[in-house]
Amino acid sequence: MGNKLDIKRLLVVSNRLPVTIDKKQGEYIFKESVGGLVSGFSAYFNSLQDTTFSEEDSVWIGWPGISVDPDDQQLISERLSQEFSASPVFLDEVTMDKFYLGFCNKTIWPLFHYFFSLTKFEDDLWEQYVAVNKVFCEAVCQIARPGDVIWIHDYHLMLLPGMLRERMPDAPIGFFLHIPFPDYEIFRLLPRRWGAAILEGLLGADLIGFHTIDYTQYFLNSVARILGLAHTLGRVRLGERMVRVDTFPMGIDFAKYNNTAKQPRIIRESERLRRMLGDRKIILSVDRLDYTKGIANRLEAFALFLEQYPQWQEKVILALIVVPSRVGVDQYQSMKRSIDETVGRINGRFGTLRWVPVVYQYRYLPLSPLVALYSASDIALVTPLRDGMNLVAKEYVASKADNQGVLILSEMAGAAKELDQAIMVNPNSIEEIAGTIQEALEMPAEEQQRRNKSMQVLLAKYDVIRWADLFIKQLLGMRESERKAATKIVAGQLRNTILREYKMARKRLILLDYDGTLVPFANDPLLAVPDDCLLENLQSLVTSEQNDVVIVSGRGRDTLQEWLGHIPLHMIAEHGAWRKRKSGNWEKIIDMPPDWRSQVLPIFQFYVDLLPGSFIEEKDCSIVWHYRRVEKEIADFRANELKWELINFTLHTDLQVLEGNRILEIKHKLSNKGAAIKPWLDQADYDFILAAGDDKTDEDLFAILPAEACSIKVGMGETKAKYIVHSQEDFCGLLADLVGHEK
């Protein structure tokens, strides 16, 4: 990893520390925790030992897993800092139980996994969630220093990014969600106040990451429909800040699992397991005790398989490993009893003196015995009902040093988006799971090798080290982009420079877009009427003989004439199809192809009928389909359909499809704001040129301007303009200042 990361420290913030503390006979015992996040960061830190950023440059912040006496907290903090680069968040166990076993696991966990019938909506649980996020905020603020990068993890701390942003407005903050983010129709089941607070909390981060594109889109849809904030290519503008929302599927430490599987002692243990189990085919199931994992369906499917394919009886066993989880929750203990009973029923029904169909263990397996079991197994049955990623599926494939074995994977797991060579199964269908077990058992060895080799290439390339590295670099890249953009913002000294140059100029050209630049967008285009303040400012600008003021708009000429015709302005309509000098008449610059309107209108009308709330605006030389009134999720789908239909229609014609702010427009390909203003650039010797616009059509104008021109993009985003203002209101404020310099 040749590139050094230009940061001072990485602060990793999660619900739990990578260290668990226990107290026995008055002594505190420290031991490293287990889990995908802990092992993942361990691999990441180890990969960076030779760079300026290493484990010594990091601090992990979280709860140590125990209530610590106030008198002992200083001692515990010092030991965690010195031995583990960790900083504890001290919470008593009662508070932590109400937080973790309360809102986290009675509300967020079931809802985000689509188990809404199990979801509790209780105000006191929500208040506890808010309170604990505030405690974490205080803990981070106490140790954070300028230059630190803060990376917050998972559903326990979704309010924390927003809280930290208020306290540390310039801090680089990232957030990653390790569980699914649900579709809007599920997320909206939260009381609106809670849902809005969670979204606003997450948007306190500079970069928000999810495992899959689906989760990313679901989040953006919820942001749009609950907070009214649209996105552009995953970027959400919040005042002066840009938040990026992106997909980062979490990998595993591929080398660790693959190399462990090749160790002689693991190979011997794998062979011993096969002999112990009678050289039967081994189907492996490894999961935490959780209702999202589909363990009950898996057991019933195995029983159905034995019933439907009796030839496999006594030739196959199911190795069921259930890892204890949330031991104190009654629901989980009930689930444990149900699993015990189902295993007993299957073994009692199908078992013989020589054969136990289900070999069942309720315990955690360390790395070595787990990899040995992965290696020995012929099939991994990974069928969660809903899962953010599921690293077990990836670990199984990575542990197949001989590339023999078949992965059966739920299509509801995030890993299904990557491991496309697995046999996919609907985890809700017991019959389908039973059938795929039969398919997997009969898969030829050559096909198993082909599939596993393909998946291993992906897992080796996009491992957990690359996952963390991409996220950190993306986060730092966001901050660098924001820093560069800040140098283009028209404010402070830069604003004063523009005003001074304007005042000193002898001859000025002012080129102004209309919608989104001089007036805000309106759901109905006919409502975007200029107010008295704007009209007065435009009148003041044209009063000066030093100024040529040109309105360069996509609006129709009749509308511009009605609203602005009483002011001696130059005007360009329909992106350059029509032009009017301030003392002249409108002249047509572009001639449209014959019969173009009769061919285009039926296409637009079809989509108006498909999408109630959308409508058509007809101009002399263009037709516009507006969909601003329609819910974004539905409208964007139809707009994309219409765009490609129009693109196909306009091939080999003089027509062009233009995408604007919630519009699609058909116009002549020669209608271009850049070409339209060329006569003004050619005819006079201007020593000050100012141009302002907010969308793609204005980029043509910016591109043709001389290097010394003052071009201003209204709104954030990529642009050819020299400068940026945040909003239409900001630009109108600058326009008022220019008028003030005339007086």
Side-chain angles (χ1 to χ4, degrees):
M1 299 185 46
N3 295 332
K4 293 186 177 182
L5 301 177
D6 186 22
I7 58 178
K8 293 184 179 178
R9 294 187 306 173
L10 175 63
L11 306 186
V12 180
V13 190
S14 66
N15 172 52
R16 290 290 297 270
L17 285 175
V19 182
T20 299
I21 302 177
D22 198 4
K23 191 174 185 180
K24 293 183 179 179
Q25 298 178 345
E27 293 291 326
Y28 289 103
I29 300 170
F30 293 69
K31 62 179 180 179
E32 292 189 4
S33 303
V34 295
L37 185 61
V38 174
S39 61
F41 268 103
S42 177
Y44 177 57
F45 291 139
N46 290 338
S47 75
L48 298 170
Q49 292 298 321
D50 297 328
T51 71
T52 56
F53 175 61
S54 67
E55 190 165 8
E56 285 70 37
D57 301 313
S58 72
V59 180
W60 197 310
I61 302 168
W63 188 55
I66 191 173
S67 178
V68 178
D69 295 335
D71 293 342
D72 297 334
Q73 290 180 2
Q74 182 64 32
L75 174 65
I76 295 297
S77 295
E78 290 174 357
R79 281 198 60 184
L80 286 171
S81 176
Q82 293 167 6
E83 298 177 26
F84 301 97
S85 295
S87 179
V89 178
F90 293 116
L91 292 163
D92 64 81
E93 291 185 25
V94 173
T95 298
M96 200 61 189
D97 282 350
K98 289 182 179 178
F99 162 71
Y100 180 70
L101 300 178
F103 193 78
C104 291
N105 285 296
K106 290 182 179 177
T107 305
I108 293 298
W109 181 266
L111 186 69
F112 280 35
H113 286 84
Y114 290 59
F115 286 83
F116 30 86
S117 64
L118 302 179
T119 305
K120 305 295 183 184
F121 301 99
E122 299 176 8
D123 284 333
D124 61 328
L125 299 183
W126 166 252
E127 296 303 327
Q128 193 68 44
Y129 185 76
V130 175
V132 172
N133 272 255
K134 287 180 179 178
V135 173
F136 270 81
C137 180
E138 289 296 330
V140 175
C141 289
Q142 285 178 14
I143 70 167
R145 302 194 295 254
D148 287 346
V149 171
I150 303 169
W151 191 358
I152 303 163
H153 290 268
D154 226 358
Y155 63 104
H156 318 86
L157 301 172
M158 291 189 289
L159 302 180
L160 182 56
M163 292 177 177
L164 289 175
R165 181 63 60 199
E166 291 183 7
R167 300 280 295 274
M168 297 183 289
D170 298 325
I173 301 173
F175 181 92
F176 191 86
L177 186 69
H178 292 265
I179 66 172
F181 193 92
D183 179 76
Y184 166 72
E185 290 299 327
I186 302 299
F187 186 79
R188 71 187 298 195
L189 295 177
L190 286 171
R192 193 171 185 88
R193 176 172 62 93
W194 300 359
I198 288 171
L199 297 177
E200 289 166 353
L202 292 172
L203 289 171
D206 297 291
L207 177 63
I208 306 170
F210 299 92
H211 282 304
T212 73
I213 292 173
D214 287 345
Y215 307 156
T216 302
Q217 291 300 319
Y218 294 159
F219 173 77
L220 290 168
N221 288 340
S222 292
V223 168
R225 299 175 75 168
I226 292 175
L227 301 182
L229 297 173
H231 74 94
T232 304
L233 299 177
R235 290 170 170 81
V236 180
R237 169 56 54 184
L238 281 172
E240 298 183 4
R241 285 200 313 118
M242 182 75 80
V243 179
R244 179 164 184 164
V245 185
D246 213 337
T247 304
F248 303 87
M250 186 177 181
I252 60 169
D253 188 349
F254 176 84
K256 180 176 73 173
Y257 285 91
N258 195 253
N259 292 337
T260 300
K262 295 174 182 176
Q263 294 175 4
R265 64 186 181 88
I266 299 300
I267 295 172
R268 288 194 299 271
E269 176 62 17
S270 176
E271 292 171 347
R272 188 188 71 81
L273 283 170
R274 295 197 68 86
R275 288 193 302 271
M276 183 182 71
L277 295 172
D279 290 326
R280 297 180 172 94
K281 294 290 186 181
I282 302 172
I283 302 170
L284 176 63
S285 167
V286 180
D287 267 313
R288 281 190 307 104
L289 180 66
D290 196 284
Y291 51 78
T292 66
K293 299 300 183 180
I295 298 173
N297 284 10
R298 205 172 304 166
L299 284 168
E300 295 297 343
F302 182 64
L304 182 63
F305 163 76
L306 295 175
E307 179 183 311
Q308 291 184 337
Y309 303 96
Q311 68 271 25
W312 282 104
Q313 293 182 20
E314 298 199 24
K315 296 178 182 178
V316 64
I317 64 108
L318 174 64
L320 180 69
I321 311 298
V322 178
V323 180
S325 174
R326 302 180 180 113
V327 177
V329 181
D330 291 341
Q331 189 177 60
Y332 284 74
Q333 293 311 300
S334 173
M335 191 188 324
K336 167 71 166 52
R337 288 192 296 273
S338 176
I339 291 171
D340 294 347
E341 291 168 2
T342 304
V343 169
R345 176 167 50 82
I346 294 172
N347 286 341
R349 178 183 175 190
F350 295 101
T352 66
L353 292 175
R354 297 176 300 175
W355 172 58
V356 179
V358 183
V359 178
Y360 171 40
Q361 290 189 337
Y362 179 65
R363 68 187 184 99
Y364 164 75
L365 283 183
L367 176 67
S368 293
L370 178 61
V371 172
L373 192 52
Y374 283 151
S375 299
S377 301
D378 299 282
I379 297 171
L381 195 55
V382 185
T383 57
L385 302 177
R386 182 77 57 170
D387 216 341
M389 173 51 68
N390 195 291
L391 300 182
V392 167
K394 295 186 174 185
E395 292 168 4
Y396 175 77
V397 174
S399 300
K400 286 298 177 182
D402 60 359
N403 290 309
Q404 293 293 319
V406 182
L407 173 63
I408 298 175
L409 181 60
S410 165
E411 60 193 23
M412 305 297 180
K417 303 293 184 183
E418 300 170 87
L419 303 179
D420 59 353
Q421 294 301 304
I423 300 179
M424 296 299 168
V425 65
N426 185 325
N428 297 295
S429 172
I430 292 169
E431 293 79 7
E432 193 173 321
I433 298 173
T436 57
I437 293 174
Q438 165 71 3
E439 179 185 349
L441 287 168
E442 295 182 347
M443 183 179 291
E446 296 80 8
E447 178 65 7
Q448 294 179 33
Q449 291 175 355
R450 184 193 68 78
R451 289 174 179 239
N452 286 323
K453 285 178 182 178
S454 174
M455 291 188 287
Q456 285 185 359
V457 168
L458 182 144
L459 294 178
K461 181 179 180 181
Y462 197 94
D463 62 3
V464 71
I465 298 168
R466 182 161 172 76
W467 167 77
D469 190 46
L470 282 176
F471 189 95
I472 293 293
K473 287 181 176 176
Q474 187 90 275
L475 175 57
L476 295 177
M478 283 284 297
R479 300 295 295 186
E480 181 63 16
S481 297
E482 289 285 290
R483 187 190 65 78
K484 290 180 179 178
T487 64
K488 300 175 69 172
I489 299 294
V490 178
Q493 187 58 44
L494 178 56
R495 187 185 189 96
N496 293 334
T497 299
I498 293 172
L499 295 174
R500 184 173 64 253
E501 290 178 355
Y502 173 84
K503 188 173 182 65
M504 294 173 60
R506 294 173 292 101
K507 186 67 175 174
R508 311 174 188 123
L509 176 62
I510 301 173
L511 306 164
L512 302 172
D513 174 46
Y514 185 76
D515 291 282
T517 301
L518 296 179
V519 298
F521 288 104
N523 284 339
D524 185 340
L526 296 178
L527 298 179
V529 180
D531 60 24
D532 292 341
C533 181
L534 174 60
L535 294 174
E536 289 173 9
N537 285 335
L538 292 175
Q539 183 66 57
S540 296
L541 287 175
V542 300
T543 299
S544 171
E545 294 181 357
Q546 297 168 274
N547 292 342
D548 283 336
V549 183
V550 188
I551 302 298
V552 190
S553 175
R555 287 276 181 174
R557 62 191 176 106
D558 291 340
T559 302
L560 291 180
Q561 187 63 38
E562 178 185 352
W563 290 349
L564 303 174
H566 62 288
I567 303 173
L569 296 160
H570 304 288
M571 289 189 281
I572 292 169
E574 299 189 39
H575 310 292
W578 291 87
R579 180 171 62 213
K580 176 184 180 297
R581 300 280 183 171
K582 63 181 178 182
S583 57
N585 297 317
W586 284 99
E587 53 181 323
K588 193 173 187 179
I589 309 302
I590 300 295
D591 288 319
M592 298 296 286
D595 300 326
W596 73 278
R597 190 179 301 275
S598 61
Q599 297 178 58
V600 172
L601 266 177
I603 300 175
F604 278 103
Q605 188 58 55
F606 177 76
Y607 279 86
V608 168
D609 295 339
L610 276 180
L611 199 65
S614 66
F615 61 93
I616 297 169
E617 178 188 5
E618 291 191 58
K619 306 175 189 176
D620 291 324
C621 301
S622 67
I623 299 176
V624 188
W625 182 63
H626 293 263
Y627 56 97
R628 188 178 304 279
R629 299 173 181 171
V630 186
E631 285 189 356
K632 188 178 188 303
E633 185 176 1
I634 304 169
D636 286 351
F637 176 78
R638 291 299 184 197
N640 193 54
E641 279 188 335
L642 175 55
K643 179 181 74 172
W644 287 108
E645 186 166 345
L646 292 174
I647 287 172
N648 289 329
F649 171 79
T650 56
L651 287 175
H652 312 301
T653 73
D654 290 329
L655 300 175
Q656 181 184 42
V657 182
L658 174 69
E659 283 188 271
N661 194 310
R662 312 289 285 160
I663 66 164
L664 282 174
E665 184 169 3
I666 285 279
K667 67 179 186 67
H668 199 287
K669 63 177 59 175
L670 296 180
S671 296
N672 178 297
K673 287 185 177 182
I677 60 103
K678 201 169 185 303
W680 279 272
L681 296 178
D682 293 341
Q683 75 181 20
D685 184 20
Y686 297 105
D687 56 351
F688 180 85
I689 300 176
L690 182 144
D694 72 296
D695 67 16
K696 294 178 182 178
T697 63
D698 300 302
E699 296 299 317
D700 296 328
L701 188 156
F702 298 148
I704 201 173
L705 295 175
E708 64 273 12
C710 175
S711 51
I712 300 176
K713 167 88 159 71
V714 179
M716 305 302 289
E718 295 295 321
T719 182
K720 297 183 178 74
K722 187 182 294 186
Y723 304 124
I724 296 170
V725 294
H726 289 302
S727 66
Q728 177 266 330
E729 293 86 353
D730 288 343
F731 178 74
C732 284
L734 176 63
L735 200 66
D737 288 346
L738 293 177
V739 170
H741 277 61
E742 290 288 350
K743 298 175 182 177

